[in-house]
Amino acid sequence: MITIDLKGRRALVTGSSSGIGEAIVHALAEAGADVAVNYLEDPTGKDAADAERVAAAARQHGVRAVSLAADISNAGQVEQMFAAMDRELGGVDILVNNAGIDGVAARCWESNPTDWYRVIQINLFGAYHCAREALKRMTAAHHGVIINISSVHESIPWSGYSAYTCSKAALTMLTQTLAQETADLGVRVLGVAPGAIKTHINKAVWSNPDTLKDLLRKIPANRMGEPAEIGRMVALLASDMASYVTGPSLLVDGGMVLYPSFRHGG
Ligand code: BGC
């Protein structure tokens, strides 16, 4: 039967108190998975409240849902988060490495090393820390799926965002290497590479008519993507519908990497 059925699977989605991560949690829960909503604690408590709201919405689908605080750039905190996942949901079958930041826009020679490192620490080291903990469990169980949320910027250079582009290109190589390491151990590792998805991360761009117009010229589909369009794809790839898929990073970008300037002429 052709159906996305994740009943009984336990999923951890990093950085899922808002944006694409939140949409992924909803899609996984809708497909029947129990979910853990990871978030980064902030002093105001806003992220904790948002994560709890996302978990509560997931429970509406009749699944178990918890929120788990951890700074994924910190290996010790990630270890504790997976221990909490074991306690609260009994293990992990699906890890979605979603947490990421664009970072501070600055050309290389104007950038601050601390800002540059932070992007790599979250986007790449964070994914590595979480994959490491997940794979200890998944390879032992001979079962599991890891999905790394990359970006069209795994292949498109982006002036002002060298840390970001490097982190995403490296993340895609991490995907492929871990897929190679685990293919005979019952584990699949793959990537999803979103284009311009309408979230708070790029609000400055889509809320200004001039920059939005410039952005749409870069997207053959002539519209931004919705977070739910990434959520659905992650649920599909995490399910047994994709049982023979391991390694690739799937573009979900309305054609952004298709050299839109070549639609005419050339
Ligand atoms: C970035 C967004 C950007 C999009 C397309 C994503 O990876 O996070 O800020 O709009 O790529 O350039």
Side-chain angles (χ1 to χ4, degrees), residues 157-182:
W158 190 15
S159 175
Y161 293 95
S162 57
Y164 187 74
T165 55
C166 290
S167 72
K168 294 301 186 178
L171 183 60
T172 296
M173 194 43 87
L174 183 71
T175 300
Q176 292 177 23
T177 305
L178 301 189
Q180 194 189 60
E181 286 178 359
T182 59

Side-chain angles (χ1 to χ4, degrees), residues 136-200:
K136 286 180 192 170
R137 294 157 171 83
M138 290 175 177
T139 55
H142 257 252
H143 170 78
V145 182
I146 295 181
I147 298 180
N148 292 326
I149 305 301
S150 168
S151 163
V152 285
H153 296 295
E154 68 187 19
S155 63
I156 303 180
W158 190 15
S159 175
Y161 293 95
S162 57
Y164 187 74
T165 55
C166 290
S167 72
K168 294 301 186 178
L171 183 60
T172 296
M173 194 43 87
L174 183 71
T175 300
Q176 292 177 23
T177 305
L178 301 189
Q180 194 189 60
E181 286 178 359
T182 59
D184 61 346
L185 297 173
V187 177
R188 297 185 295 116
V189 185
L190 54 166
V192 166
I197 308 301
K198 199 170 180 185
T199 68
H200 58 89

